[in-house]
Amino acid sequence: MDWAEMIFQGWSGLARTALVSVLAYVGLVLFLRLSGKRTLSKLNAFDLVVTVALGSILATTLLNADVPVAEGLVAFASLIGLQYLVTWSSIRWTWVRQGVRSEPTILVRDGQPVTTALRRERVTEAEALSAVRDSGGRDLEEAEVVVLESDGSLTAILKP
């Protein structure tokens, strides 16, 4: 392949990419709207995997001429359907919830760092202090608790 072909291989490839982009985008938006707000909520590890997989399917569908739009849409629908099924199941059965979701972890209790939890979750005291400052406090001693939420965010609840 010469330099010119690396940059431009013809109008038919561009037209296919443009058409497939529109169709795949409309299909993905439609499926996401049908699946509900939970599909696009704050990401935990499980949701992140689904989001990355959706992006990979979209890219493959757009750029690989061997993948028809219909197959890309079926892949979107399958992943979103599985995501819906798992979240629906996790609401009803504890063992499913425990398998796909992490529980929040207390990192600071009554102003004192919980060293084992900080180490296990790979969070520094400086990051916990940042959460305290975001909540209006100045140092860890002002925190009743600092929690590492299941989506990876830190929440600080200050002492009254």
Side-chain angles (χ1 to χ4, degrees):
M1 178 180 283
D2 66 11
W3 286 98
E5 286 181 343
M6 284 179 34
I7 296 171
F8 182 74
Q9 294 180 350
W11 292 106
S12 64
L14 292 179
R16 181 208 173 275
T17 301
L19 178 62
V20 170
S21 296
V22 170
L23 294 173
Y25 177 80
V26 169
L28 181 57
V29 169
L30 182 71
F31 288 141
L32 290 173
R33 292 292 294 150
L34 289 172
S35 67
K37 295 175 186 172
R38 179 66 186 87
T39 306
L40 297 175
S41 67
K42 279 186 162 183
L43 299 181
N44 57 42
F46 176 73
D47 298 325
L48 178 63
V49 168
V50 172
T51 302
V52 170
L54 288 172
S56 178
I57 291 168
L58 180 62
T60 301
T61 303
L62 296 182
L63 299 175
N64 187 341
D66 294 333
V67 178
V69 176
E71 290 179 13
L73 294 176
V74 167
F76 285 150
S78 298
L79 270 182
I80 291 169
L82 287 168
Q83 216 278 7
Y84 182 87
L85 179 65
V86 169
T87 55
W88 180 87
S89 299
S90 70
I91 291 168
R92 284 154 182 79
W93 298 295
T94 304
W95 65 271
V96 175
R97 183 173 41 256
Q98 291 172 340
V100 297
R101 305 262 183 259
S102 61
E103 293 296 317
T105 303
I106 294 176
L107 303 175
V108 174
R109 184 187 313 271
D110 196 32
Q112 299 302 311
V114 181
T115 310
T116 55
L118 287 165
R119 200 173 296 130
R120 182 179 63 247
E121 300 295 345
R122 298 179 315 278
V123 176
T124 66
E125 283 188 37
E127 291 168 317
L129 177 57
S130 178
V132 170
R133 287 194 305 264
D134 286 345
S135 294
R138 287 180 282 176
D139 54 44
L140 287 181
E141 289 77 26
E142 295 180 44
E144 188 172 320
V145 293
V146 175
V147 179
L148 176 63
E149 304 291 355
S150 59
D151 65 2
S153 62
L154 291 173
T155 300
I157 300 171
L158 301 180
K159 294 176 183 175

